[in-house]
Amino acid sequence: MIITNSARQTIALGKKYAAELKLGAVLGLIGELGAGKTQFVKGLAKGLGIKNNISSPTFVLLKKYNQLIHIDCYRLSNSEELLDLGWQELVTDKNNIIVVEWADKIRKIMPQDTRWIKFSIGKKDNQRKISI
């Protein structure tokens, strides 16, 4: 378990973790609201050389930044909604890195080799516990 004490540290962790990723990777992020998932994705994007401002795609569900596909399943009521948006094509395209927030909501359609990352809020303000 890794503990970060600020959004900046969570972003830095994501940036560092990006160096370990290869195209075709799928990350499943799980954790409560405000636990640091989107901050981590901001760091991943920086580590991948993406200059865009990263925000949670809660209302649009999916955003694509070069080779990074960022999905937020918070508002989904079932996994079929994601299947209707071309999920199978996305996960079979090995030219992307896919990051799914609230991935536990679609666990049954996540690829078997998904890298699961769990986020939780720590005891101190801004503290996050991250299990990779």
Side-chain angles (χ1 to χ4, degrees), residues 22-26 67 69 88-98 111-114:
K22 291 185 168 67
L23 292 177
V26 178
Q67 77 272 29
I69 297 174
Q88 291 302 335
E89 292 79 13
L90 292 174
V91 296
T92 55
D93 182 350
K94 299 301 178 187
N95 294 311
N96 297 306
I97 294 172
I98 301 172
Q112 197 169 25
D113 61 349
T114 297

Side-chain angles (χ1 to χ4, degrees), residues 28-32 35 37 100-105 107 116-120:
L29 310 185
I30 55 177
E32 61 201 287
K37 298 179 296 293
V100 182
E101 294 190 41
W102 299 94
D104 47 327
K105 294 185 115 191
R107 188 178 296 270
W116 292 95
I117 304 174
K118 183 177 182 185
F119 295 78
S120 58

Side-chain angles (χ1 to χ4, degrees), residues 48-66:
L48 295 170
I50 297 167
K51 306 266 189 243
N52 301 64
N53 181 32
I54 306 298
S55 61
S56 182
T58 302
F59 296 102
V60 294
L61 189 62
L62 183 149
K63 290 185 181 178
K64 185 167 183 176
Y65 308 95
N66 301 333

Side-chain angles (χ1 to χ4, degrees), residues 71 82-83 85-91 98 100 106 109-111:
I71 299 171
L82 192 56
L83 290 171
L85 290 176
W87 171 251
Q88 291 302 335
E89 292 79 13
L90 292 174
V91 296
I98 301 172
V100 182
I106 60 159
I109 65 168
M110 292 292 286

Side-chain angles (χ1 to χ4, degrees), residues 1 30-32 34-36 118-122 127-131:
M1 179 180 306
I30 55 177
E32 61 201 287
K118 183 177 182 185
F119 295 78
S120 58
I121 297 172
Q127 189 178 70
R128 302 295 179 260
K129 297 177 182 178
I130 304 164
S131 299

